[in-house]
Amino acid sequence: MTCPDCAHHTPAFDAATAVWSYGFPIDTLIRDFKYGHHLYLGGFFGQHLAETLQQQWHENPDLSPPDLILPMPLHPHRLKTRGFNQAAEIARHVAKYLGLAWRSDALRRLQDTAPQAGLRREARWANLRGAFACPESLNGAHVLLIDDVLTTGASLSACAEVLRHAGSRRIDVAVLARTPEPGHA
């Protein structure tokens, strides 16, 4: 199924998985986790995301587990301010639950861009040009990129472009929640 954002801006990743739709009560839990430092929710979120991925791999033989799990990176300034990377916390738990390799340092955020949440759809894409880097070769690896919420896919697609240039052959995205289309709840 192709979402409206993907129809307008073809994403650089191959497939996306979301556990939930971004609405109550999941939106509140994600905000508590991300901004309220409720780190205990990382295990809860990681387990549900891992179970969703396992179910997909079981139901569709064309899908397979990745070689490497990577979290959406935070700029060092934002990481220092927040104190943790929520995507890295989720990725760590997913990797542990699935018994897969993960790294928090292979993908880097070079620019401290404006928060995506405050931007209109088109501005989100422009905001991320040159924001990410992958300084090492991924030499044909299948990568699973993890984040908390997928809205337009701009951030994840910008990361996927960088991972593709680093040699990744397949890039899947997994998030906790997908925001509904505008006008759909």
Side-chain angles (χ1 to χ4, degrees):
M1 181 164 97
T2 303
C3 73
D5 287 312
C6 296
H8 186 64
H9 288 284
T10 302
F13 50 84
D14 296 291
T17 298
V19 181
W20 298 287
S21 180
Y22 190 73
F24 185 79
I26 294 303
D27 59 343
T28 302
L29 290 173
I30 292 172
R31 279 194 305 270
D32 287 348
F33 174 59
K34 190 171 178 175
Y35 303 113
H37 292 82
H38 294 219
L39 294 177
Y40 64 88
L41 288 169
F44 168 79
F45 288 144
Q47 179 179 351
H48 282 279
L49 188 52
E51 288 172 352
T52 299
L53 291 165
Q54 279 183 317
Q55 181 179 353
Q56 281 190 336
W57 299 333
H58 177 74
E59 292 174 358
N60 187 343
D62 292 335
L63 299 177
S64 62
D67 302 311
L68 181 62
I69 296 174
L70 300 176
M72 168 66 71
L74 285 181
H75 186 271
H77 179 264
R78 192 158 310 155
L79 180 60
K80 184 177 179 182
T81 301
R82 187 173 295 157
F84 73 103
N85 178 345
Q86 74 280 357
E89 287 296 311
I90 298 164
R92 180 173 64 87
H93 287 287
V94 169
K96 181 180 175 185
Y97 189 85
L98 296 174
L100 297 172
W102 83 285
R103 296 206 23 221
S104 63
D105 61 347
L107 184 60
R108 297 185 188 148
R109 189 166 200 135
L110 302 176
Q111 298 175 15
D112 192 11
T113 57
Q116 293 288 89
L119 301 176
R120 299 178 65 84
R121 290 184 179 287
E122 290 301 320
R124 288 173 180 247
W125 290 86
N127 187 43
L128 296 164
R129 287 192 189 98
F132 301 101
C134 181
E136 58 192 72
S137 172
L138 293 177
N139 198 20
H142 174 185
V143 173
L144 176 64
L145 184 58
I146 292 185
D147 202 4
D148 54 352
V149 178
L150 176 90
T151 302
T152 64
S155 298
L156 291 161
S157 192
C159 285
E161 286 177 8
V162 167
L163 295 172
R164 193 87 60 205
H165 282 95
S168 181
R169 70 174 161 76
R170 180 174 175 92
I171 302 146
D172 294 328
V173 165
V175 297
L176 300 178
R178 171 71 165 106
T179 60
E181 293 177 48
H184 295 82

